Amino acid sequence: MATQLALALTDAGLHIRQVFSRTADHARQLAEKIGAAYIANIDEIDENADVYIMSVKDDAISEIAAKVCAKSADAVFVHTAGSISMDVFNGKAQHYGVLYPMQTFSKSRKVNFKEIPCFLEASDEETLGIIRSIAERVSDNVVLADSAKRKKIHLAAVLACNFTNHCYRLAEKVLDEEGIDFKLFLPLIDETARKVAQLSPKQAQTGPMVRYDTGVMQMQIDLLSDERTKQIYRLMADSIHEDATSADDTCPRQKV
């Protein structure tokens, strides 16, 4: 996220003075892309910036904030995590908030930040105005969300993205056993994603789990060699069928 956000901010005309990373090479690579200075020693952080953005691992935010917030009493301090409360800055800074871009990020794959929803929260109205002005420079979809709501948003994002991508990986493993190229499945994946732009996920669901075709399902479980994947299949099968029949659960269900 740090790389993609920095690129988006730079493209939007904002000046990034400095990039910090504990790994000097990582800091240098990003700094060179955006024309900034770079450091690997947190004690060398520039004390004259207006805004400090912490895009680091969730469990490092509190430690980094304690050191960075001490650099300036007047600056605005922001983290970009979906699941970490804004309260992580309490007692460390006067002006602080969150700018959470909800997207899956890879360092080498540039994204269109304008399409990404950015969820904001701030310690006060003035700070919110500053964070909003930054967010609106890079995104056309800026939404206010407090820490409790943002945690649920992040949870939903994990289910929709990370869990789904892991299912792609499980499918890839099955295909690899037969020497079948996973790219043949891209049209299926694309259509599945396009459907939920027009239908709710519940309406878009198809397959043997919806009708609970136990014969097909048991056959597929038997084809799986990994017990963990079999467990995932069973849990997903039950969950899909229960959701599909939740409005009118008149269809008897057997365990697979």
Side-chain angles (χ1 to χ4, degrees), residues 5 15 32 70 185 210 228 254:
L5 180 56
H15 174 54
E32 288 179 350
F185 274 57
V210 172
R228 175 65 64 82
Q254 303 171 10

PDB file of all heavy atoms in Angstrom, residues 5 15 32 70 185 210 228 254:
ATOM      1  N   LEU A   5       0.121   4.140  -2.719  1.00  0.00           N
ATOM      2  CA  LEU A   5      -0.381   5.413  -2.215  1.00  0.00           C
ATOM      3  C   LEU A   5       0.601   6.539  -2.517  1.00  0.00           C
ATOM      4  O   LEU A   5       0.198   7.637  -2.919  1.00  0.00           O
ATOM      5  CB  LEU A   5      -0.636   5.325  -0.713  1.00  0.00           C
ATOM      6  CG  LEU A   5      -1.165   6.599  -0.035  1.00  0.00           C
ATOM      7  CD1 LEU A   5      -2.450   7.083  -0.691  1.00  0.00           C
ATOM      8  CD2 LEU A   5      -1.368   6.368   1.458  1.00  0.00           C
ATOM      9  N   HIS A  15       3.576  16.802  -2.758  1.00  0.00           N
ATOM     10  CA  HIS A  15       5.023  16.626  -2.622  1.00  0.00           C
ATOM     11  C   HIS A  15       5.346  15.764  -1.407  1.00  0.00           C
ATOM     12  O   HIS A  15       5.019  16.124  -0.277  1.00  0.00           O
ATOM     13  CB  HIS A  15       5.713  17.984  -2.471  1.00  0.00           C
ATOM     14  CG  HIS A  15       7.178  17.884  -2.184  1.00  0.00           C
ATOM     15  ND1 HIS A  15       8.045  17.173  -2.981  1.00  0.00           N
ATOM     16  CD2 HIS A  15       7.928  18.389  -1.162  1.00  0.00           C
ATOM     17  CE1 HIS A  15       9.264  17.257  -2.483  1.00  0.00           C
ATOM     18  NE2 HIS A  15       9.223  17.978  -1.373  1.00  0.00           N
ATOM     19  N   GLU A  32      13.087   6.882  -5.171  1.00  0.00           N
ATOM     20  CA  GLU A  32      13.540   7.182  -6.529  1.00  0.00           C
ATOM     21  C   GLU A  32      12.366   7.328  -7.491  1.00  0.00           C
ATOM     22  O   GLU A  32      12.426   8.103  -8.449  1.00  0.00           O
ATOM     23  CB  GLU A  32      14.495   6.092  -7.014  1.00  0.00           C
ATOM     24  CG  GLU A  32      15.862   6.134  -6.329  1.00  0.00           C
ATOM     25  CD  GLU A  32      16.784   5.020  -6.799  1.00  0.00           C
ATOM     26  OE1 GLU A  32      16.300   4.099  -7.508  1.00  0.00           O
ATOM     27  OE2 GLU A  32      17.989   5.064  -6.469  1.00  0.00           O
ATOM     28  N   ALA A  70       6.398  12.322  18.033  1.00  0.00           N
ATOM     29  CA  ALA A  70       7.225  13.196  18.877  1.00  0.00           C
ATOM     30  C   ALA A  70       7.994  14.230  18.055  1.00  0.00           C
ATOM     31  O   ALA A  70       8.533  15.183  18.611  1.00  0.00           O
ATOM     32  CB  ALA A  70       8.200  12.346  19.688  1.00  0.00           C
ATOM     33  N   PHE A 185      -9.243 -20.410 -16.641  1.00  0.00           N
ATOM     34  CA  PHE A 185     -10.340 -20.091 -15.728  1.00  0.00           C
ATOM     35  C   PHE A 185     -10.602 -18.591 -15.609  1.00  0.00           C
ATOM     36  O   PHE A 185     -11.543 -18.182 -14.929  1.00  0.00           O
ATOM     37  CB  PHE A 185     -10.053 -20.687 -14.345  1.00  0.00           C
ATOM     38  CG  PHE A 185     -10.492 -22.120 -14.207  1.00  0.00           C
ATOM     39  CD1 PHE A 185     -10.029 -23.095 -15.069  1.00  0.00           C
ATOM     40  CD2 PHE A 185     -11.402 -22.485 -13.227  1.00  0.00           C
ATOM     41  CE1 PHE A 185     -10.441 -24.403 -14.958  1.00  0.00           C
ATOM     42  CE2 PHE A 185     -11.832 -23.803 -13.110  1.00  0.00           C
ATOM     43  CZ  PHE A 185     -11.354 -24.764 -13.976  1.00  0.00           C
ATOM     44  N   VAL A 210     -25.907 -24.845  -4.096  1.00  0.00           N
ATOM     45  CA  VAL A 210     -27.195 -24.155  -4.010  1.00  0.00           C
ATOM     46  C   VAL A 210     -28.330 -25.167  -3.947  1.00  0.00           C
ATOM     47  O   VAL A 210     -29.250 -25.060  -3.127  1.00  0.00           O
ATOM     48  CB  VAL A 210     -27.382 -23.189  -5.206  1.00  0.00           C
ATOM     49  CG1 VAL A 210     -28.783 -22.619  -5.216  1.00  0.00           C
ATOM     50  CG2 VAL A 210     -26.353 -22.064  -5.136  1.00  0.00           C
ATOM     51  N   ARG A 228      -7.305 -30.901   4.514  1.00  0.00           N
ATOM     52  CA  ARG A 228      -7.695 -29.526   4.843  1.00  0.00           C
ATOM     53  C   ARG A 228      -8.616 -28.949   3.768  1.00  0.00           C
ATOM     54  O   ARG A 228      -9.607 -28.293   4.083  1.00  0.00           O
ATOM     55  CB  ARG A 228      -6.438 -28.658   4.991  1.00  0.00           C
ATOM     56  CG  ARG A 228      -6.712 -27.158   5.210  1.00  0.00           C
ATOM     57  CD  ARG A 228      -7.412 -26.878   6.510  1.00  0.00           C
ATOM     58  NE  ARG A 228      -6.602 -27.235   7.643  1.00  0.00           N
ATOM     59  CZ  ARG A 228      -5.645 -26.470   8.164  1.00  0.00           C
ATOM     60  NH1 ARG A 228      -5.361 -25.292   7.625  1.00  0.00           N
ATOM     61  NH2 ARG A 228      -4.963 -26.866   9.214  1.00  0.00           N
ATOM     62  N   GLN A 254     -28.687 -32.843   3.784  1.00  0.00           N
ATOM     63  CA  GLN A 254     -27.915 -33.943   4.353  1.00  0.00           C
ATOM     64  C   GLN A 254     -26.469 -33.494   4.492  1.00  0.00           C
ATOM     65  O   GLN A 254     -25.984 -32.658   3.736  1.00  0.00           O
ATOM     66  CB  GLN A 254     -27.971 -35.170   3.430  1.00  0.00           C
ATOM     67  CG  GLN A 254     -29.394 -35.645   3.130  1.00  0.00           C
ATOM     68  CD  GLN A 254     -29.391 -36.706   2.053  1.00  0.00           C
ATOM     69  OE1 GLN A 254     -28.349 -37.201   1.671  1.00  0.00           O
ATOM     70  NE2 GLN A 254     -30.573 -37.051   1.568  1.00  0.00           N
TER      71      GLN A 254
END
